[in-house]
Amino acid sequence: MKDLILVTGGTGYIGSHTTVELMAKGYEVVIIDNLSNSTIEVLDGIEKISGIRPAFEQFDLCDKEKLNAFFSKYKNLKAIIHFAAYKAVGESVDKPLMYYQNNLISLMNLLENMDDFGVPNIVFSSSCTVYGQPDELPVTEKAPIKPAESPYGNTKQIAEEILSDTMKVKPNLNTIALRYFNPIGAHPSTEIGELPRGIPNNLVPFVTQTAAGLREGLKVFGDDYNTPDGSAVRDYINVVDLALAHVIAIDRMLEKKNPANFEFFNLGTGTGSSVLDIVKTFEKVTGKKLNYEIVKRRAGDIEQVWADTSVANEILGWKASRSLDETLLSAWNWEKKLRGIN
Ligand code: UD1
C-alpha cells in the first residue's frame, strides 16, 4: 500500500509541483485547499503530468469541525506538508489580523489533530524572510532570526516557534521546516505553474506578464543598493527543485532518519542574482526585449540575500540542479501557454 500524504494548499504554486513529485515517488496524495488563491483546474494539470488525480477536499483549515471530520475519514495519513497560507507581504501590512488568524490557526488546528489522530510528521513551508537582512552572506541556518519586516514574515517566525515549542513536549511528532529563498519557474510540461491573482507582486511573474503584453513595463525597484549592479540580489530557486526537497524531507521522516524532531533547512541555489541579472537572462533565453525602468526602492525590501545550502546538501542529500536559464524559460513557456502565445 502506498503511504498517504496530506498536502495542504496542494492546488497552489509550490503545493501543486510538490504533489506531482510526491506521486512520481510513489506516494498517494490527498489535498486540502479552500481555493482562495488557486483554481480547481490545477488538478487537471497535475493529472495530465502524473496520470493520477490526487484526492481533493475543499475546505478551510481554520474550520475545526471540518478538519476533525477529515482526520476521521483519512485514518492512514503518514505525514502532512503544510503549504496553505496567505503570502502577500503588502496585504499582510493592511490586514494583519487576517494573516495572523489564517496562517496560525490553520497550523495549530493541524497540530492538534496530528496529536489526536497519531499522524507523526509535518513539513512546514517557511521562508528566508525569517533572517531579514542577514549580517553575513551567504546565510546559514545558524544566522539569527531578525525582527519580522511584515505581519506575513512574522507568521512564518511565529509558526516555526509554535512548531518548535510543540515538538519539545511531543516527542512522538516530527517537524521539518523548509526555509525557501525565491521560488520561480514552472513545470517543464507547462501543465502547472504560478497563477498570481491581479497584478503580481513578485518579480518573475511581473517579468513574464510584461513580456506577454499584460503589463506595460517592469519597474526595477532601486539601482542604488550596495550590490555589483546596484539592484537588489536574491537567490532564485526552481520550483521543481524546491518540490523535490519536500519529497526528501518526507522520506527522511518516514524512514526515521531525523535525529531531532525539529529540523530546519535553507532551500536555495547558493547563488545570488540581481533584478537586472534576471531581466538580462530573461531577454537572453527568450529573445524578447523587456520594457523596464528604474524606480525608487520598494519599502521593506532588503538589499541582498542568498543561501548557504551546505546543510541541505549534506544532511538531506539535496541540491538545486536546474539553471537560471532553464528556469526563466520555463516561466515564460508557462506564461505563453496561459495567454495562448505561440
Ligand atoms: C517577497 C517577500 C518575501 C516572501 C516572498 C514570497 C518582501 C519584502 N518579501 O520576497 O517575504 O517570502 O516574496 O514570494 O516583499 N522587484 C522589482 N520589480 C517588481 C517586483 C520585484 O524590481 O515589479 C524586485 C524586488 O525589489 C526584489 C526582487 O525583485 O529585489 C524580488 O522581489 P519579489 O519577487 O517580490 O521577492 P522578495 O521581495 O525577495
Side-chain angles (χ1 to χ4, degrees):
M1 240 204 13
K2 290 180 172 180
D3 286 326
L4 180 63
I5 313 296
L6 164 60
V7 179
T8 78
T11 54
Y13 176 40
I14 307 172
S16 56
H17 289 81
T18 300
T19 296
V20 164
E21 299 307 330
L22 283 168
M23 296 200 301
K25 188 80 193 281
Y27 288 109
E28 190 181 341
V29 173
V30 55
I31 289 172
I32 300 176
D33 204 305
N34 65 1
L35 302 181
S36 67
N37 194 25
S38 61
T39 65
I40 194 73
E41 286 76 30
V42 173
L43 293 178
D44 300 336
I46 293 172
E47 188 176 357
K48 278 194 189 133
I49 299 168
S50 308
I52 308 168
R53 198 173 181 87
F56 177 73
E57 303 280 349
Q58 184 182 345
F59 65 92
D60 197 313
L61 293 167
C62 295
D63 186 330
K64 264 192 157 179
E65 266 175 40
K66 285 192 180 145
L67 190 59
N68 202 263
F70 172 90
F71 275 85
S72 303
K73 179 174 169 189
Y74 293 88
K75 287 220 183 314
N76 54 343
L77 283 177
K78 294 289 187 298
I80 298 169
I81 309 185
H82 180 41
F83 293 106
Y86 294 149
K87 61 170 186 179
V89 175
E91 184 184 54
S92 80
V93 175
D94 295 334
K95 300 176 181 169
L97 287 181
M98 187 174 110
Y99 270 69
Y100 287 115
Q101 272 174 355
N102 185 62
N103 290 7
L104 299 178
I105 291 176
S106 56
L107 173 66
M108 291 188 284
N109 286 349
L110 279 173
L111 283 168
E112 269 181 4
N113 279 290
M114 285 171 68
D115 198 30
D116 292 348
F117 287 87
V119 180
N121 305 308
I122 183 166
V123 175
F124 178 68
S125 198
S126 190
S127 168
C128 73
T129 193
V130 302
Y131 300 118
Q133 176 62 64
D135 303 322
E136 285 171 36
L137 289 167
V139 59
T140 71
E141 287 84 351
K142 292 200 174 81
I145 302 295
K146 293 276 179 77
E149 297 274 354
S150 68
Y152 158 76
N154 211 14
T155 66
K156 292 295 176 195
Q157 294 191 1
I158 298 169
E160 283 201 16
E161 286 171 7
I162 290 171
L163 284 160
S164 145
D165 288 344
T166 306
M167 295 309 113
K168 282 178 200 151
V169 292
K170 298 284 177 193
N172 52 320
L173 300 184
N174 302 282
T175 297
I176 295 182
L178 299 176
R179 295 175 176 167
Y180 316 149
F181 284 66
N182 288 54
I184 60 164
H187 196 272
S189 65
T190 69
E191 296 296 348
I192 54 173
E194 195 169 2
L195 282 169
R197 290 219 167 140
I199 301 172
N201 294 310
N202 296 117
L203 176 62
V204 170
F206 207 102
V207 165
T208 56
Q209 288 197 7
T210 303
L214 273 81
R215 313 280 155 216
E216 217 168 286
L218 169 74
K219 291 183 167 56
V220 173
F221 297 136
D223 69 347
D224 55 352
Y225 286 109
N226 185 22
T227 59
D229 66 22
S231 63
V233 169
R234 300 286 183 275
D235 185 336
Y236 294 93
I237 173 165
N238 185 295
V239 67
V240 175
D241 278 329
L242 192 68
L244 288 166
H246 293 75
V247 180
I248 292 172
I250 289 291
D251 292 344
R252 179 174 175 84
M253 292 193 290
L254 263 53
E255 291 162 15
K256 299 191 170 34
K257 285 186 178 154
N258 51 322
N261 75 335
F262 180 73
E263 295 185 305
F264 47 92
F265 299 95
N266 285 347
L267 297 182
T269 64
T271 303
S273 305
S274 72
V275 177
L276 293 172
D277 287 334
I278 295 293
V279 169
K280 282 187 206 128
T281 308
F282 182 84
E283 289 184 332
K284 181 190 78 182
V285 297
T286 64
K288 302 272 302 177
K289 198 94 198 88
L290 206 65
N291 182 30
Y292 73 90
E293 60 171 329
I294 312 281
V295 301
K296 66 176 177 22
R297 296 179 180 191
R298 180 170 72 178
D301 271 351
I302 58 161
E303 182 168 271
Q304 47 187 333
V305 65
W306 66 92
D308 183 321
T309 60
S310 45
V311 175
N313 298 163
E314 281 157 32
I315 311 264
L316 295 179
W318 169 90
K319 202 171 176 26
S321 68
R322 288 155 179 84
S323 69
L324 186 61
D325 284 18
E326 77 174 285
T327 303
L328 286 173
L329 194 57
S330 74
W332 175 233
N333 287 337
W334 166 245
E335 187 73 55
K336 282 202 295 186
K337 167 150 184 208
L338 280 180
R339 311 300 163 197
I341 300 169
N342 286 318

